[in-house]
Amino acid sequence: MTVVTELDLPEFDPADPGLSGWRWHVEANALLDSGHWLAQGPLSLVVLDREAGEFFLRSRAAEFPGKLIADLFGVTDGPLRDEIDNNIINTDGDVHRRLRSLVNPALTPRAANGWRPVMREILESLWEELETDEFDFVSRFSRPYPSQTIARVMGAPAVDAQRLHDWSEWIQRQFDPIALSDPETVRAIQGKVAEFYAWVDPMIEERRGKPSEDLITTLIRTEEEGERLSDQELRNLVLNILVGGVDTTQSQLSHAIRILAGKPEQWQALRENPDEMVPRAVSEVLRFEPITAFTARQLTEEVEYRDVSFPAGTLMVVCSFTGNRDPEAFEDPREFDILVERDRTRPLTFGAGIHYCVGANLARAELEEGLRFLAEKVESFELNGLTELQAVSGIYGIDRMDVRIVPDRG
Ligand code: HEM
């Protein structure tokens, strides 16, 4: 049995701020070409292949290392630390099972599909507000759309949707080592978490007195019936869903349009046969350009895998981008092609195991409705100016993307 420290591994830093756009693809593909399934990063190992990635994500001897990462970057107190300590992703065992069982019923495929008419309504209103064929797709579509949707799902006031995506963009940066290594940014995130709590606590109080048909009311009911959810758990669960469901979906939708704008023949195929092609396009963009390029686990005990021993405490970063290019699982994996039928269950973009994204069904429904709507309205997209990509290390977002559209004349 070889100990992992004895292996000769290629070096790779997932927190390199230069990893973005074409350079990200070139470097990640070069790692795949190295033939290794593991790389060595400055703070962790990086798992490159899909099967090994799934193994570590599903391992019972591993947990999400949110608290460890906070400690490493000196986030030891304040509202952000409070949020990290109570984030569902940093819980395990019975506590995690209980929290998931409370939110899962509200986010099943059926429940997510039930929100499609609302998504459509939001898209219609964003479309009507457009006064020109040239605009920044991020600020006009992909940013307002998921925050307005999640506000409706949760029962938050629609006027607060704008604040939601601001909070989401900031608070999600707790998963980005580049952001955490800058004390100014950490101070800003602390402030945003405090603002969020100050906003959400009175809203929860109000719902207690005035129940409604929304997820916050459902969670309050559970809390009141069984005392199974503490106040602190409730406000953080609301935060995890409101905040976790905005920046992610908005980034993935922006990448979908960025990529499809460069593939007019695929956009036409999608327009001609949306019932079949829209779900495929969503799966393909999740596979090809995962906005969560990395997730992580820390081993709680020694683990043996492929004749290698990994000591307890080892930090494992799992790369979905490389895992999603497994040639055994996907034909022609380095090509973006919605015309190829691929297995939708296998990409690592939503993680795996007990922390598998609780919002995956809602995210897919939002992305599908977004593409279906745009396919009806837009004959073609052209990127005609600035496209400002972020680094891949946290949520791989797009700050701005100027497009010119040819509207459908039919
Ligand atoms: C394209 C959109 C999205 C992507 C790519 C994404 C990706 C992920 C990933 C990679 C994880 C960690 C999984 C792991 O480590 O095994 C995760 C967890 C999570 N996501 Fe998402 N997500 C998306 C949308 C959403 C939405 C819409 C919501 C809320 C409705 C949401 C809420 C959460 C929550 C609460 C967790 C923690 C789950 C747990 O610990 O059990 N996400 N997501």
Side-chain angles (χ1 to χ4, degrees):
M1 178 80 55
T2 314
V3 179
V4 69
T5 44
E6 293 165 4
L7 295 179
D8 189 16
L9 299 175
E11 288 184 6
F12 172 69
D13 180 3
D16 175 349
L19 287 181
S20 187
W22 65 269
R23 194 185 139 202
W24 162 231
H25 279 237
V26 168
E27 296 212 2
N29 282 329
L31 274 179
L32 283 175
D33 291 336
S34 75
H36 289 269
W37 64 275
L38 271 177
Q40 181 66 59
L43 298 174
S44 69
L45 291 164
V46 184
V47 183
L48 302 172
D49 87 26
R50 192 185 56 83
E51 189 190 78
E54 274 205 37
F55 171 83
F56 286 103
L57 291 178
R58 292 179 186 281
S59 169
R60 285 170 183 269
E63 58 190 21
F64 190 86
K67 293 184 199 172
L68 172 86
I69 293 170
D71 288 342
L72 277 175
F73 289 98
V75 183
T76 51
D77 54 15
L80 174 58
R81 183 58 198 233
D82 182 61
E83 192 278 331
I84 290 171
D85 287 343
N86 289 286
N87 193 316
I88 185 172
I89 205 160
N90 295 317
T91 63
D92 275 296
D94 287 345
V95 174
H96 180 262
R97 250 191 306 280
R98 187 163 54 88
L99 296 177
R100 277 296 285 238
S101 70
L102 295 176
V103 279
N104 279 345
L107 295 165
T108 58
R110 193 153 169 226
N113 288 341
W115 291 102
R116 285 181 192 256
V118 168
M119 296 169 191
R120 181 92 198 173
E121 211 181 281
I122 293 169
L123 289 159
E124 290 281 1
S125 80
L126 294 172
W127 180 258
E128 274 161 28
E129 284 163 21
L130 279 184
E131 274 146 16
T132 152
D133 295 343
E134 296 187 32
F135 53 91
D136 167 21
F137 184 81
V138 175
S139 60
R140 303 308 294 265
F141 265 94
S142 47
R143 198 171 271 155
Y145 167 50
S147 53
Q148 291 185 23
T149 304
I150 205 88
R152 290 283 287 272
V153 173
M154 291 301 278
V159 288
D160 289 330
Q162 184 143 354
R163 303 178 75 194
L164 273 179
H165 69 66
D166 177 59
W167 286 323
S168 179
E169 282 176 11
W170 280 98
I171 299 173
Q172 287 289 83
R173 296 176 84 181
Q174 69 182 273
F175 299 112
D176 180 0
I178 301 174
L180 291 179
S181 54
D182 173 25
E184 272 303 303
T185 307
V186 171
R187 250 194 301 282
I189 308 176
Q190 294 273 23
K192 296 292 173 182
V193 176
E195 264 176 45
F196 185 90
Y197 284 154
W199 171 81
V200 83
D201 289 345
M203 192 167 72
I204 291 174
E205 266 327 295
E206 195 194 304
R207 277 295 181 296
R208 281 189 208 281
K210 215 169 79 191
S212 175
E213 289 304 306
D214 56 49
L215 187 47
I216 294 182
T217 307
T218 309
L219 294 175
I220 290 174
R221 246 183 230 134
T222 321
E223 184 199 27
E224 286 172 349
E225 279 164 13
E227 280 185 76
R228 299 190 321 147
L229 201 57
S230 70
D231 282 0
Q232 199 177 39
E233 284 175 327
L234 177 60
R235 64 165 11 188
N236 280 292
L237 211 45
V238 173
L239 180 146
N240 294 157
I241 296 169
L242 279 176
V243 165
V246 173
D247 194 17
T248 43
T249 314
Q250 96 181 27
S251 303
Q252 200 71 73
L253 180 61
S254 301
H255 280 293
I257 295 301
R258 180 180 65 81
I259 296 167
L260 284 163
K263 313 255 176 217
E265 66 304 336
Q266 292 188 37
W267 184 252
Q268 282 321 312
L270 191 145
R271 278 167 55 76
E272 278 158 26
N273 185 3
D275 288 346
E276 196 180 334
M277 288 302 167
V278 165
R280 270 206 218 174
V282 167
S283 295
E284 184 64 344
V285 74
L286 284 160
R287 183 193 73 82
F288 183 82
E289 195 68 280
I291 52 95
T292 39
F294 309 104
T295 185
R297 295 291 186 267
Q298 184 180 29
L299 303 183
T300 51
E301 53 192 74
E302 188 198 342
V303 170
E304 289 171 8
Y305 182 69
R306 293 184 179 170
D307 284 329
V308 180
S309 154
F310 297 81
T314 307
L315 197 54
M316 316 287 304
V317 164
V318 175
C319 181
S320 62
F321 181 100
T322 50
N324 292 350
R325 279 158 177 73
D326 175 356
E328 307 255 310
F330 305 105
E331 195 187 319
D332 254 346
R334 296 195 193 181
E335 291 300 318
F336 178 93
D337 194 348
I338 67 169
L339 304 175
V340 177
E341 175 80 89
R342 302 188 200 272
D343 185 341
R344 285 203 215 144
T345 59
R346 305 185 95 178
L348 282 179
T349 309
F350 290 116
I354 65 162
H355 294 293
Y356 180 84
C357 178
V358 74
N361 298 316
L362 189 70
R364 272 188 191 272
E366 281 182 74
L367 293 166
E368 286 181 12
E369 285 307 309
L371 287 188
R372 180 182 282 273
F373 179 85
L374 291 165
E376 279 166 27
K377 302 283 184 190
V378 180
E379 209 171 280
S380 68
F381 276 99
E382 190 191 321
L383 303 184
N384 72 331
L386 265 183
T387 300
E388 286 175 8
L389 299 171
Q390 296 173 359
V392 291
S393 64
I395 306 283
Y396 182 22
I398 301 186
D399 286 326
R400 174 173 167 166
M401 186 167 76
D402 292 341
V403 294
R404 179 187 298 128
I405 58 164
V406 175
D408 181 84
R409 312 244 178 247

